[in-house]
Coordinates of all heavy atoms in Angstrom, one line a residue:
R1 N 6.8 21.4 12.2 CA 5.8 20.7 13.0 C 6.0 20.7 14.5 O 5.1 20.7 15.2 CB 5.8 19.2 12.5 CG 5.3 18.9 11.2 CD 3.8 19.0 11.1 NE 3.3 18.7 9.8 CZ 2.1 18.3 9.6 NH1 1.2 18.2 10.5 NH2 1.7 18.0 8.4
M2 N 7.3 20.8 14.9 CA 7.5 20.8 16.3 C 7.0 22.1 16.9 O 6.4 22.1 18.0 CB 9.0 20.8 16.6 CG 9.3 20.7 18.1 SD 8.5 19.4 19.0 CE 9.4 18.0 18.6
D3 N 7.1 23.2 16.2 CA 6.5 24.5 16.6 C 5.0 24.3 16.8 O 4.4 24.8 17.8 CB 6.8 25.6 15.7 CG 8.2 26.1 15.7 OD1 8.9 25.8 16.7 OD2 8.6 26.7 14.7
G4 N 4.3 23.6 15.9 CA 2.9 23.3 16.0 C 2.6 22.5 17.2 O 1.6 22.7 17.9
A5 N 3.4 21.5 17.5 CA 3.2 20.6 18.7 C 3.3 21.4 20.0 O 2.5 21.3 20.9 CB 4.1 19.4 18.7
I6 N 4.3 22.3 20.0 CA 4.5 23.1 21.2 C 3.4 24.1 21.4 O 2.9 24.3 22.5 CB 5.9 23.7 21.2 CG1 7.0 22.7 21.3 CG2 6.0 24.8 22.3 CD1 8.4 23.1 21.1
A7 N 3.0 24.7 20.3 CA 1.9 25.7 20.4 C 0.6 25.0 20.8 O -0.2 25.5 21.6 CB 1.7 26.3 19.0
A8 N 0.3 23.8 20.3 CA -0.9 23.0 20.7 C -0.8 22.7 22.2 O -1.8 22.8 22.9 CB -1.0 21.8 19.9
A9 N 0.4 22.3 22.7 CA 0.5 22.0 24.1 C 0.2 23.2 25.0 O -0.4 23.2 26.0 CB 1.9 21.5 24.4
R10 N 0.7 24.4 24.5 CA 0.5 25.6 25.3 C -1.0 26.0 25.3 O -1.4 26.5 26.3 CB 1.3 26.8 24.6 CG 2.7 26.7 24.9 CD 3.4 28.0 24.3 NE 4.8 27.9 24.6 CZ 5.8 28.4 23.9 NH1 5.5 28.9 22.7 NH2 7.0 28.3 24.2
R11 N -1.7 25.6 24.3 CA -3.2 25.9 24.2 C -4.0 24.8 25.0 O -5.2 24.9 25.2 CB -3.7 25.9 22.8 CG -3.2 27.1 22.0 CD -4.0 27.1 20.6 NE -4.0 25.9 19.9 CZ -3.1 25.5 19.0 NH1 -2.0 26.2 18.8 NH2 -3.2 24.3 18.4
G12 N -3.3 23.7 25.3 CA -4.0 22.6 25.9 C -4.7 21.7 24.9 O -5.6 21.0 25.3
D13 N -4.3 21.9 23.7 CA -4.9 21.1 22.6 C -4.1 19.8 22.5 O -3.2 19.7 21.6 CB -4.8 21.9 21.3 CG -5.3 21.0 20.1 OD1 -5.8 19.9 20.2 OD2 -5.0 21.5 18.9
W14 N -4.3 18.8 23.4 CA -3.5 17.6 23.4 C -3.7 16.7 22.2 O -2.7 16.1 21.8 CB -3.8 16.9 24.8 CG -3.4 17.8 25.9 CD1 -4.2 18.4 26.8 CD2 -2.0 18.3 26.2 NE1 -3.5 19.2 27.7 CE2 -2.1 19.1 27.3 CE3 -0.8 18.0 25.6 CZ2 -1.0 19.7 27.9 CZ3 0.3 18.6 26.2 CH2 0.2 19.5 27.3
P15 N -4.8 16.6 21.6 CA -4.9 15.8 20.4 C -4.1 16.4 19.3 O -3.4 15.7 18.5 CB -6.4 15.8 20.0 CG -7.1 16.0 21.4 CD -6.2 16.9 22.1
G16 N -4.1 17.8 19.2 CA -3.3 18.4 18.2 C -1.8 18.3 18.4 O -1.0 18.1 17.5
C17 N -1.4 18.4 19.7 CA 0.0 18.2 20.1 C 0.4 16.8 19.8 O 1.5 16.6 19.2 CB 0.1 18.5 21.6 SG 1.8 18.2 22.2
R18 N -0.4 15.8 20.1 CA 0.0 14.4 19.8 C 0.2 14.2 18.3 O 1.1 13.6 17.9 CB -1.1 13.5 20.3 CG -0.8 12.0 20.0 CD -1.9 11.1 20.5 NE -3.2 11.5 20.0 CZ -3.8 11.2 18.8 NH1 -3.0 10.6 17.9 NH2 -5.0 11.6 18.5
A19 N -0.8 14.7 17.5 CA -0.7 14.5 16.0 C 0.6 15.1 15.5 O 1.3 14.5 14.7 CB -1.9 15.1 15.4
A20 N 0.9 16.4 15.9 CA 2.1 17.0 15.4 C 3.4 16.3 15.9 O 4.3 16.1 15.1 CB 2.1 18.5 15.8
A21 N 3.4 15.9 17.2 CA 4.5 15.3 17.7 C 4.8 13.9 17.1 O 5.9 13.5 16.9 CB 4.4 15.1 19.2
E22 N 3.7 13.2 16.7 CA 3.9 11.9 16.0 C 4.5 12.1 14.6 O 5.4 11.3 14.2 CB 2.5 11.2 15.8 CG 2.0 10.6 17.1 CD 0.6 10.0 17.0 OE1 -0.1 10.4 16.0 OE2 0.3 9.2 17.9
V23 N 4.2 13.2 13.9 CA 4.8 13.5 12.6 C 6.3 13.7 12.8 O 7.2 13.2 12.1 CB 4.1 14.7 11.9 CG1 4.9 15.1 10.7 CG2 2.7 14.3 11.6
V24 N 6.7 14.5 13.8 CA 8.1 14.9 14.1 C 8.8 13.6 14.5 O 9.9 13.4 14.0 CB 8.2 15.9 15.2 CG1 9.6 16.1 15.7 CG2 7.6 17.2 14.8
R25 N 8.2 12.8 15.4 CA 8.9 11.6 15.8 C 9.2 10.7 14.6 O 10.3 10.1 14.4 CB 8.1 10.8 16.9 CG 8.7 9.5 17.3 CD 8.0 8.7 18.3 NE 6.6 8.4 17.8 CZ 5.7 7.8 18.5 NH1 5.9 7.5 19.8 NH2 4.5 7.5 18.0
A26 N 8.2 10.5 13.7 CA 8.3 9.6 12.6 C 9.4 10.1 11.6 O 10.2 9.4 11.1 CB 7.0 9.5 11.8
A27 N 9.5 11.4 11.4 CA 10.5 12.0 10.5 C 11.9 11.8 11.2 O 12.8 11.5 10.4 CB 10.2 13.5 10.3
A28 N 12.0 12.1 12.4 CA 13.3 11.9 13.1 C 13.8 10.5 13.1 O 14.9 10.2 12.8 CB 13.3 12.5 14.5
W29 N 12.8 9.6 13.3 CA 13.2 8.1 13.3 C 13.6 7.7 11.9 O 14.5 6.9 11.7 CB 12.1 7.3 13.9 CG 12.5 5.9 14.1 CD1 12.1 4.8 13.4 CD2 13.4 5.4 15.0 NE1 12.7 3.6 13.8 CE2 13.5 4.0 14.8 CE3 14.2 6.0 16.0 CZ2 14.4 3.2 15.5 CZ3 15.1 5.1 16.7 CH2 15.1 3.8 16.5
A30 N 12.8 8.1 10.9 CA 13.2 7.8 9.5 C 14.6 8.2 9.2 O 15.3 7.5 8.5 CB 12.1 8.4 8.6
S31 N 14.9 9.4 9.6 CA 16.3 9.9 9.4 C 17.3 9.0 10.1 O 18.4 8.7 9.5 CB 16.4 11.4 9.9 OG 17.7 11.8 9.9
F32 N 17.0 8.6 11.3 CA 17.9 7.7 12.0 C 18.1 6.4 11.2 O 19.2 5.9 11.1 CB 17.4 7.4 13.4 CG 18.1 6.4 14.2 CD1 19.3 6.7 14.9 CD2 17.7 5.1 14.3 CE1 20.0 5.8 15.6 CE2 18.3 4.1 15.0 CZ 19.5 4.5 15.7
E33 N 17.0 5.8 10.8 CA 17.0 4.5 10.1 C 17.8 4.7 8.7 O 18.6 3.8 8.4 CB 15.6 4.0 9.8 CG 15.0 3.5 11.1 CD 13.6 2.9 10.9 OE1 12.8 3.5 10.1 OE2 13.3 1.8 11.5
R34 N 17.5 5.7 8.0 CA 18.2 5.9 6.7 C 19.7 6.0 6.9 O 20.4 5.4 6.1 CB 17.7 7.2 6.0 CG 16.5 7.0 5.2 CD 16.2 8.3 4.3 NE 16.2 9.5 5.0 CZ 15.2 10.0 5.7 NH1 14.1 9.4 5.7 NH2 15.4 11.2 6.3
A35 N 20.1 6.7 7.9 CA 21.6 7.0 8.1 C 22.2 5.9 8.9 O 23.4 5.9 9.1 CB 21.8 8.3 8.7
R36 N 21.4 5.0 9.5 CA 21.9 4.0 10.4 C 22.6 4.6 11.6 O 23.6 4.1 12.1 CB 22.8 3.0 9.7 CG 22.0 2.2 8.7 CD 22.8 1.1 8.1 NE 22.0 0.4 7.2 CZ 22.4 0.0 6.0 NH1 23.6 0.3 5.6 NH2 21.6 -0.7 5.2
G37 N 22.0 5.7 12.1 CA 22.5 6.4 13.2 C 22.2 7.9 13.1 O 21.5 8.3 12.1
W38 N 22.5 8.7 14.1 CA 22.2 10.1 14.0 C 23.3 10.9 13.3 O 24.4 10.9 13.7 CB 22.1 10.6 15.5 CG 21.0 10.0 16.3 CD1 21.1 9.2 17.3 CD2 19.6 10.1 16.0 NE1 19.9 8.8 17.8 CE2 18.9 9.3 17.0 CE3 18.8 10.7 15.1 CZ2 17.6 9.1 17.1 CZ3 17.4 10.6 15.1 CH2 16.8 9.8 16.1
L39 N 22.9 11.5 12.2 CA 23.8 12.4 11.5 C 23.9 13.7 12.2 O 25.0 14.4 12.1 CB 23.4 12.5 10.0 CG 23.5 11.3 9.2 CD1 23.0 11.6 7.8 CD2 24.9 10.7 9.1
R40 N 22.8 14.1 12.7 CA 22.8 15.4 13.4 C 22.2 15.3 14.8 O 21.2 14.6 15.0 CB 21.9 16.4 12.6 CG 22.4 16.6 11.2 CD 21.5 17.5 10.4 NE 20.1 17.1 10.5 CZ 19.0 17.8 10.0 NH1 19.2 18.9 9.3 NH2 17.8 17.3 10.1
V41 N 22.8 15.9 15.7 CA 22.3 15.9 17.1 C 20.9 16.4 17.2 O 20.1 15.9 18.0 CB 23.2 16.6 18.1 CG1 22.7 16.7 19.5 CG2 24.6 16.0 18.1
C42 N 20.6 17.4 16.4 CA 19.2 18.0 16.5 C 18.1 17.0 16.1 O 17.0 17.1 16.7 CB 19.1 19.2 15.6 SG 19.4 19.0 13.8
D43 N 18.4 16.0 15.3 CA 17.4 15.0 14.9 C 17.1 14.2 16.1 O 15.9 13.8 16.4 CB 17.8 14.2 13.8 CG 17.9 14.9 12.4 OD1 17.1 15.9 12.3 OD2 18.7 14.5 11.6
R44 N 18.1 13.8 16.9 CA 18.0 13.0 18.1 C 17.2 13.8 19.1 O 16.3 13.3 19.8 CB 19.3 12.6 18.6 CG 19.2 11.8 19.9 CD 20.6 11.4 20.4 NE 21.4 12.6 20.5 CZ 22.1 12.9 21.6 NH1 22.0 12.2 22.7 NH2 22.8 14.0 21.6
E45 N 17.5 15.1 19.3 CA 16.8 15.9 20.2 C 15.4 16.1 19.9 O 14.5 16.2 20.7 CB 17.6 17.2 20.4 CG 18.9 17.0 21.1 CD 19.7 18.3 21.2 OE1 19.4 19.3 20.5 OE2 20.7 18.3 21.9
L46 N 15.1 16.3 18.6 CA 13.7 16.4 18.1 C 12.9 15.1 18.5 O 11.8 15.2 18.9 CB 13.6 16.6 16.6 CG 13.9 18.0 16.1 CD1 14.0 18.1 14.6 CD2 12.8 18.9 16.6
L47 N 13.5 14.0 18.3 CA 12.9 12.7 18.6 C 12.5 12.7 20.1 O 11.4 12.4 20.5 CB 13.7 11.5 18.3 CG 13.0 10.2 18.7 CD1 12.4 9.5 17.4 CD2 14.0 9.3 19.3
M48 N 13.5 13.1 20.9 CA 13.3 13.0 22.4 C 12.2 14.1 22.8 O 11.4 13.8 23.7 CB 14.6 13.3 23.1 CG 15.6 12.1 23.0 SD 17.0 12.2 24.0 CE 17.9 13.6 23.3
L49 N 12.3 15.3 22.3 CA 11.2 16.3 22.6 C 9.9 15.8 22.1 O 8.9 15.9 22.9 CB 11.6 17.6 21.9 CG 10.6 18.7 22.2 CD1 10.4 18.9 23.7 CD2 11.1 20.0 21.6
A50 N 9.8 15.2 21.0 CA 8.5 14.6 20.5 C 8.0 13.6 21.5 O 6.8 13.5 21.8 CB 8.7 14.1 19.1
E51 N 8.9 12.7 21.9 CA 8.5 11.6 22.9 C 7.9 12.3 24.2 O 6.9 11.8 24.7 CB 9.6 10.7 23.2 CG 10.0 9.7 22.1 CD 8.9 8.7 21.8 OE1 7.9 8.6 22.5 OE2 9.1 7.9 20.9
L52 N 8.6 13.3 24.7 CA 8.1 14.0 25.9 C 6.8 14.6 25.7 O 5.9 14.6 26.5 CB 9.1 15.0 26.4 CG 10.4 14.3 26.9 CD1 11.5 15.4 27.3 CD2 10.2 13.4 28.1
L53 N 6.6 15.2 24.5 CA 5.3 15.8 24.2 C 4.2 14.7 24.0 O 3.0 14.9 24.4 CB 5.3 16.7 22.9 CG 6.1 18.0 23.1 CD1 6.3 18.7 21.8 CD2 5.3 18.9 24.0
L54 N 4.6 13.6 23.5 CA 3.6 12.5 23.4 C 3.3 12.0 24.8 O 2.1 11.6 25.0 CB 4.2 11.4 22.5 CG 4.3 11.7 21.0 CD1 5.1 10.7 20.3 CD2 2.9 11.8 20.5
A55 N 4.2 12.0 25.7 CA 4.0 11.6 27.1 C 2.9 12.5 27.7 O 2.0 12.1 28.4 CB 5.3 11.5 27.9
L56 N 3.1 13.8 27.5 CA 2.2 14.8 28.1 C 0.8 14.6 27.5 O -0.2 14.6 28.2 CB 2.6 16.2 27.8 CG 3.8 16.7 28.7 CD1 4.3 18.0 28.1 CD2 3.4 16.8 30.1
S57 N 0.8 14.4 26.2 CA -0.5 14.2 25.4 C -1.2 12.9 25.9 O -2.4 12.9 26.1 CB -0.3 14.1 23.9 OG 0.3 15.3 23.5
A58 N -0.5 11.8 26.1 CA -1.1 10.6 26.5 C -1.6 10.8 28.0 O -2.7 10.3 28.3 CB -0.1 9.4 26.5
N59 N -0.9 11.4 28.8 CA -1.3 11.6 30.2 C -2.6 12.5 30.2 O -3.6 12.2 30.9 CB -0.3 12.3 31.0 CG -0.7 12.4 32.5 OD1 -0.9 11.4 33.1 ND2 -0.8 13.6 33.0
A60 N -2.6 13.5 29.3 CA -3.8 14.4 29.3 C -5.1 13.6 28.8 O -6.2 13.9 29.2 CB -3.6 15.5 28.3
A61 N -4.8 12.5 28.0 CA -5.9 11.7 27.5 C -6.3 10.6 28.5 O -7.1 9.8 28.3 CB -5.5 11.0 26.2
G62 N -5.5 10.6 29.7 CA -5.8 9.6 30.7 C -5.1 8.3 30.5 O -5.5 7.3 31.2
D63 N -4.1 8.2 29.7 CA -3.4 7.0 29.4 C -2.0 7.1 30.0 O -1.0 7.3 29.3 CB -3.3 6.7 27.9 CG -2.8 5.3 27.6 OD1 -2.3 4.6 28.6 OD2 -2.9 4.9 26.5
A64 N -1.9 6.9 31.3 CA -0.6 7.1 32.0 C 0.4 6.0 31.6 O 1.6 6.3 31.5 CB -0.8 7.0 33.5
A65 N 0.0 4.8 31.2 CA 0.9 3.8 30.8 C 1.6 4.2 29.5 O 2.8 4.0 29.3 CB 0.1 2.4 30.6
A66 N 0.8 4.7 28.5 CA 1.4 5.2 27.3 C 2.3 6.4 27.5 O 3.4 6.5 26.9 CB 0.3 5.6 26.3
A67 N 2.0 7.2 28.5 CA 2.8 8.3 28.8 C 4.1 7.9 29.4 O 5.2 8.4 29.0 CB 2.1 9.2 29.8
V68 N 4.1 6.9 30.2 CA 5.4 6.3 30.8 C 6.2 5.7 29.6 O 7.4 5.9 29.6 CB 5.1 5.3 31.9 CG1 6.4 4.5 32.3 CG2 4.6 6.1 33.1
R69 N 5.6 5.0 28.7 CA 6.3 4.4 27.6 C 7.0 5.4 26.8 O 8.2 5.3 26.4 CB 5.4 3.5 26.7 CG 5.1 2.1 27.3 CD 4.4 1.2 26.3 NE 3.2 1.8 25.8 CZ 2.0 1.6 26.4 NH1 1.9 1.0 27.5 NH2 0.9 2.2 25.8
S70 N 6.3 6.5 26.5 CA 6.9 7.6 25.7 C 8.1 8.2 26.4 O 9.1 8.4 25.8 CB 5.9 8.7 25.3 OG 5.0 8.2 24.3
A71 N 7.9 8.5 27.7 CA 9.0 9.1 28.4 C 10.1 8.1 28.5 O 11.3 8.5 28.4 CB 8.5 9.5 29.8
D72 N 9.8 6.8 28.7 CA 10.9 5.8 28.8 C 11.7 5.7 27.5 O 12.9 5.4 27.5 CB 10.3 4.5 29.1 CG 11.3 3.4 29.5 OD1 12.1 3.7 30.4 OD2 11.3 2.3 28.9
H73 N 11.1 6.0 26.3 CA 11.9 5.9 25.1 C 13.0 7.0 25.1 O 14.0 6.7 24.4 CB 10.9 6.2 23.9 CG 10.0 5.1 23.6 ND1 8.8 5.3 22.9 CD2 10.0 3.8 23.9 CE1 8.2 4.1 22.8 NE2 8.9 3.2 23.4
V74 N 12.8 8.0 25.8 CA 13.9 9.1 25.9 C 15.1 8.5 26.5 O 16.2 8.9 26.1 CB 13.4 10.3 26.6 CG1 14.5 11.3 26.8 CG2 12.2 10.9 25.9
F75 N 15.0 7.6 27.5 CA 16.2 7.0 28.1 C 17.1 6.3 27.1 O 18.3 6.2 27.3 CB 15.8 6.0 29.2 CG 15.3 6.6 30.4 CD1 13.9 6.6 30.8 CD2 16.1 7.3 31.3 CE1 13.5 7.2 31.9 CE2 15.7 7.9 32.5 CZ 14.3 7.9 32.8
T76 N 16.5 5.8 26.0 CA 17.3 5.1 25.0 C 18.4 6.0 24.4 O 19.5 5.5 24.1 CB 16.4 4.5 23.9 OG1 15.4 3.7 24.5 CG2 17.2 3.7 22.9
F77 N 18.0 7.2 24.2 CA 18.9 8.2 23.5 C 19.5 9.2 24.4 O 20.3 10.0 23.9 CB 18.2 8.8 22.4 CG 17.7 7.8 21.3 CD1 16.4 7.5 21.2 CD2 18.6 7.2 20.5 CE1 16.0 6.5 20.3 CE2 18.2 6.2 19.6 CZ 16.9 5.9 19.5
A78 N 19.1 9.3 25.7 CA 19.7 10.3 26.6 C 20.4 9.7 27.7 O 19.8 9.4 28.7 CB 18.5 11.2 27.1
A79 N 21.7 9.5 27.6 CA 22.5 8.9 28.6 C 22.6 9.8 29.8 O 22.7 9.4 31.0 CB 23.9 8.6 28.1
A80 N 22.6 11.1 29.6 CA 22.7 12.1 30.7 C 22.1 13.4 30.2 O 21.8 13.6 29.0 CB 24.2 12.3 31.1
G81 N 21.9 14.4 31.1 CA 21.5 15.7 30.7 C 20.0 16.0 30.9 O 19.3 15.2 31.5
G82 N 19.6 17.1 30.3 CA 18.3 17.6 30.5 C 17.2 16.7 30.1 O 16.1 16.6 30.7
F83 N 17.4 16.1 28.9 CA 16.3 15.2 28.4 C 16.1 14.0 29.3 O 15.0 13.5 29.6 CB 16.6 14.7 27.0 CG 16.3 15.7 25.9 CD1 17.3 16.4 25.3 CD2 15.0 16.0 25.6 CE1 17.0 17.3 24.3 CE2 14.7 16.9 24.6 CZ 15.7 17.6 24.0
R84 N 17.2 13.4 29.8 CA 17.2 12.3 30.7 C 16.5 12.7 32.0 O 15.6 12.0 32.6 CB 18.5 11.7 31.0 CG 18.5 10.5 31.9 CD 19.9 9.8 32.1 NE 19.8 8.7 33.0 CZ 19.5 7.5 32.6 NH1 19.1 7.2 31.4 NH2 19.4 6.5 33.5
D85 N 16.9 13.9 32.5 CA 16.3 14.4 33.8 C 14.8 14.6 33.6 O 14.0 14.2 34.5 CB 16.9 15.7 34.2 CG 18.4 15.6 34.6 OD1 18.8 14.4 34.8 OD2 19.1 16.6 34.6
A86 N 14.3 15.1 32.5 CA 12.9 15.3 32.2 C 12.2 14.0 32.1 O 11.1 13.8 32.7 CB 12.7 16.1 30.9
A87 N 12.8 13.0 31.4 CA 12.1 11.7 31.3 C 12.0 11.1 32.6 O 11.0 10.5 32.9 CB 12.9 10.8 30.3
L88 N 13.0 11.2 33.5 CA 13.0 10.6 34.8 C 11.9 11.2 35.6 O 11.1 10.5 36.3 CB 14.3 10.7 35.5 CG 14.5 10.1 36.9 CD1 14.2 8.6 36.8 CD2 15.8 10.4 37.4
L89 N 11.8 12.5 35.5 CA 10.7 13.3 36.2 C 9.3 12.8 35.8 O 8.4 12.5 36.6 CB 10.8 14.8 36.0 CG 9.8 15.6 36.6 CD1 9.8 15.5 38.1 CD2 10.0 17.1 36.2
F90 N 9.1 12.6 34.4 CA 7.9 12.2 33.9 C 7.5 10.8 34.5 O 6.4 10.5 34.9 CB 7.9 12.1 32.4 CG 7.7 13.3 31.7 CD1 8.3 14.5 32.0 CD2 6.8 13.4 30.6 CE1 8.1 15.7 31.3 CE2 6.6 14.6 29.9 CZ 7.2 15.7 30.3
V91 N 8.5 9.9 34.4 CA 8.3 8.5 34.8 C 7.9 8.5 36.3 O 7.0 7.8 36.7 CB 9.5 7.6 34.5 CG1 9.3 6.2 35.2 CG2 9.6 7.4 33.0
R92 N 8.6 9.2 37.1 CA 8.3 9.2 38.6 C 7.0 9.8 38.8 O 6.2 9.3 39.7 CB 9.4 10.0 39.3 CG 10.7 9.3 39.4 CD 11.7 10.1 40.2 NE 12.9 9.3 40.4 CZ 14.1 9.8 40.7 NH1 14.2 11.1 40.9 NH2 15.1 9.1 40.8
W93 N 6.6 10.9 38.1 CA 5.3 11.6 38.3 C 4.2 10.7 37.9 O 3.1 10.7 38.5 CB 5.4 12.8 37.5 CG 4.1 13.7 37.5 CD1 3.4 14.0 38.6 CD2 3.5 14.2 36.4 NE1 2.3 14.8 38.2 CE2 2.3 14.9 36.8 CE3 3.7 14.2 35.0 CZ2 1.5 15.6 36.0 CZ3 2.9 14.9 34.2 CH2 1.8 15.6 34.7
L94 N 4.4 9.9 36.8 CA 3.3 9.1 36.2 C 3.2 7.7 36.7 O 2.3 7.0 36.4 CB 3.4 9.1 34.7 CG 3.3 10.4 34.0 CD1 3.7 10.3 32.6 CD2 1.8 10.9 34.1
D95 N 4.2 7.2 37.4 CA 4.3 5.8 37.8 C 3.1 5.3 38.6 O 2.6 4.2 38.2 CB 5.6 5.6 38.6 CG 5.8 4.1 38.9 OD1 5.9 3.3 37.9 OD2 6.0 3.7 40.0
A96 N 2.7 6.0 39.5 CA 1.5 5.6 40.3 C 0.3 5.4 39.5 O -0.5 4.4 39.6 CB 1.3 6.5 41.5
D97 N 0.0 6.4 38.6 CA -1.1 6.3 37.7 C -1.0 5.1 36.7 O -2.0 4.4 36.5 CB -1.3 7.6 36.9 CG -1.7 8.8 37.8 OD1 -2.3 8.5 38.9 OD2 -1.6 9.9 37.3
A98 N 0.2 4.9 36.2 CA 0.4 3.8 35.3 C 0.2 2.5 36.0 O -0.4 1.5 35.4 CB 1.8 3.9 34.7
R99 N 0.7 2.3 37.2 CA 0.5 1.1 38.0 C -1.0 0.8 38.2 O -1.5 -0.3 38.1 CB 1.2 1.1 39.3 CG 2.7 1.0 39.1 CD 3.4 1.1 40.5 NE 4.8 1.2 40.3 CZ 5.7 0.2 40.5 NH1 5.3 -0.9 40.8 NH2 7.0 0.4 40.3
A100 N -1.7 1.9 38.6 CA -3.2 1.8 38.8 C -3.9 1.3 37.6 O -4.8 0.5 37.7 CB -3.7 3.1 39.4
Q101 N -3.5 1.9 36.4 CA -4.2 1.5 35.2 C -3.9 0.0 34.8 O -4.7 -0.6 34.2 CB -3.8 2.4 34.1 CG -4.4 3.8 34.1 CD -4.0 4.7 33.0 OE1 -3.2 4.3 32.1 NE2 -4.4 5.9 33.0
A102 N -2.7 -0.5 35.2 CA -2.3 -1.8 34.9 C -3.1 -2.9 35.6 O -3.2 -4.0 35.3 CB -0.8 -2.0 35.1
K103 N -3.7 -2.5 36.7 CA -4.4 -3.4 37.6 C -5.8 -3.8 37.0 O -6.4 -3.2 36.3 CB -4.6 -2.9 39.0 CG -3.3 -2.8 39.7 CD -3.5 -2.2 41.1 CE -2.2 -2.2 41.8 NZ -2.3 -1.6 43.1

């Protein structure tokens, strides 16, 4: 499914990207809940990548607030490194739009 989400993003098919990323996020989170933690680093990374794709999809749909929330979820699991850097970039990039939508 992640390959499908990425392919949809490359095509600019944001609804398709969102749908596939939601499936990936749900599966990764279910794995986390079943194991009461991450058994495999790749499951955590899939969750974070899905959240970043959901942020892009929400922004493409004009929902900057949802985009910031999705990017912000990455901070929960990324103490440092590339995922945290990407999430920070997303939040900074989308912050003005999210604030405008909140008014």
Side-chain angles (χ1 to χ4, degrees):
R1 292 282 184 162
M2 184 55 76
D3 288 342
I6 292 170
R10 285 184 178 147
R11 291 190 311 273
D13 173 11
W14 297 112
C17 178
R18 180 183 50 81
E22 285 175 343
V23 170
V24 171
R25 178 181 60 184
W29 187 251
S31 174
F32 174 82
E33 287 183 320
R34 273 192 310 276
R36 296 187 177 135
W38 298 113
L39 293 179
R40 302 177 310 174
V41 172
C42 64
D43 290 333
R44 179 180 53 127
E45 291 176 348
L46 279 171
L47 179 102
M48 291 187 293
L49 182 54
E51 288 290 358
L52 293 174
L53 288 170
L54 289 167
L56 288 172
S57 299
N59 187 60
D63 191 348
V68 168
R69 280 192 303 275
S70 285
D72 191 54
H73 290 158
V74 176
F75 285 107
T76 304
F77 298 108
F83 281 107
R84 183 176 177 82
D85 293 344
L88 184 58
L89 177 64
F90 277 49
V91 170
R92 286 183 179 162
W93 178 48
L94 296 167
D95 188 53
D97 290 341
R99 287 177 193 259
Q101 286 180 2
K103 290 181 181 180

